[in-house]
């Protein structure tokens, strides 16, 4: 099947003044997928991280056996794939809404040697993932509207996860937004196998304990 659910800490909510230390903390606690949110000020209003930051964290993440899960919330992502692959991405996720050339972009991710992810916003139906299943290594179902951490999970998006799981029993399905120890079991019960969590992990005093709590809750939902 799709394996035990993995919790992927999202660096968006980390303290960037001590990014390396924050990554080490969650990886020591057991995290292996590190979620890296890229925003361009167009697809979503904020600007965040780019390949230079990815490049600076990649050696330590890879040395610890981690997977750099790059989530591109940018328009025309196909133009940036090479740069992120060269900077150390292991997976690159593009949004179905961000380019007229979604299949081309997914193929470009694989050509660059990375796992190809396809993300859908809350209003985008899951059919696009099902139609392109052969080109997709993992789906990312946005459980909030993209752009900001700390928003509550939109429950209707879990229905989409459920439909996607029914259509594609073996697909790796990631959920992103509003995941915490309280919402994680429902995400896993709906069929998610990767749970991105930002503010719930890095927003408090003890990211390692928060990671462990969400990971335990996720296993409880399996
Ligand atoms: C938002 C990003 C998320 C973000 C989630 O668009 O894609 O990865 O970090 O934040 P939380 O976990 O706080 O909802
Ligand atoms: Zn994300």
């Amino acid at each position: 099947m799709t394996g035990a659910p993995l919790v992927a800490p999202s660096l968006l909510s980390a303290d960037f003044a001590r990014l390396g230390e924050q990554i080490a903390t969650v990886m020591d606690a057991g995290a292996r997928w590190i979620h890296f949110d890229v925003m361009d000020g167009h697809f979503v209003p904020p600007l965040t991280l780019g390949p230079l930051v990815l490049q600076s964290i990649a050696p330590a993440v890879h040395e610890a056996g981690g997977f750099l899960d790059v989530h591109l919330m940018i328009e025309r992502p196909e133009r940036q794939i090479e740069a992120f692959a060269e900077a150390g991405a292991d997976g690159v996720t593009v949004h179905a809404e961000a380019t007229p050339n979604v299949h081309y972009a997914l193929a470009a991710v694989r050509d660059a040697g990375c796992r190809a992810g396809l993300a859908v916003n809350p209003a985008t139906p899951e059919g696009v993932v099902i139609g392109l299943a052969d080109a997709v290594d993992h789906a990312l179902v946005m459980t909030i509207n993209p752009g900001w951490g700390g928003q509550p999970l939109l429950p209707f998006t879990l229905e989409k996860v459920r439909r996607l799981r029914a259509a594609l029993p073996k697909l790796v399905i990631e959920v992103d937004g509003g995941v915490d120890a309280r919402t994680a079991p429902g995400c896993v019960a709906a069929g998610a196998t990767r749970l991105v969590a930002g503010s719930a992990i890095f927003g408090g005093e003890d990211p390692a304990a928060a990671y462990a709590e969400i990971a335990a809750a996720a296993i409880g939902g399996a």
Side-chain angles (χ1 to χ4, degrees):
M1 266 289 291
T2 46
L6 297 184
V7 175
S10 166
L11 300 181
L12 188 62
S13 293
D15 176 353
F16 290 107
R18 43 192 192 99
L19 191 53
E21 184 190 321
Q22 296 244 284
I23 293 168
T25 298
V26 291
M27 291 195 77
D28 285 349
R32 285 299 171 267
W33 270 42
I34 299 296
H35 189 80
F36 188 92
D37 287 302
V38 180
M39 305 187 190
D40 66 351
H42 294 277
F43 183 70
V44 289
L47 284 164
T48 60
L49 309 164
L52 278 178
V53 176
L54 188 71
Q55 194 177 16
S56 71
I57 63 168
V61 171
H62 289 150
E63 205 161 303
F67 179 97
L68 278 169
D69 174 33
V70 174
H71 178 193
L72 296 182
M73 284 161 279
I74 65 175
E75 285 176 10
R76 306 306 299 260
E78 61 271 29
R79 296 172 179 163
Q80 301 293 336
I81 287 162
E82 199 59 50
F84 283 97
E86 278 171 13
D90 298 294
V92 176
T93 298
V94 299
H95 266 263
E97 308 84 4
T99 171
N101 306 305
V102 178
H103 180 266
Y104 174 88
L106 292 167
V109 172
R110 283 185 176 168
D111 284 349
C114 299
R115 309 283 290 172
L118 178 56
V120 286
N121 276 344
T124 303
E126 68 281 5
V128 62
V129 178
I130 297 166
L132 295 174
D134 287 346
V136 172
D137 295 308
H138 55 274
L140 187 160
V141 175
M142 287 304 305
T143 39
I144 54 168
N145 286 297
W148 301 272
Q151 305 175 69
L153 182 145
L154 299 166
F156 75 89
T157 60
L158 293 183
E159 290 307 314
K160 185 156 53 182
V161 173
R162 224 178 283 281
R163 293 192 296 272
L164 200 49
R165 173 56 67 222
L168 298 168
K170 292 185 177 161
L171 182 68
V172 172
I173 303 178
E174 187 171 21
V175 288
D176 186 4
V179 175
D180 57 22
R182 191 181 55 82
T183 56
C187 295
V188 174
T193 47
R194 302 286 180 273
L195 283 74
V196 176
S199 55
I201 289 179
F202 293 111
E205 293 286 287
D206 190 343
Y211 166 84
E213 194 192 346
I214 300 168
I219 289 167

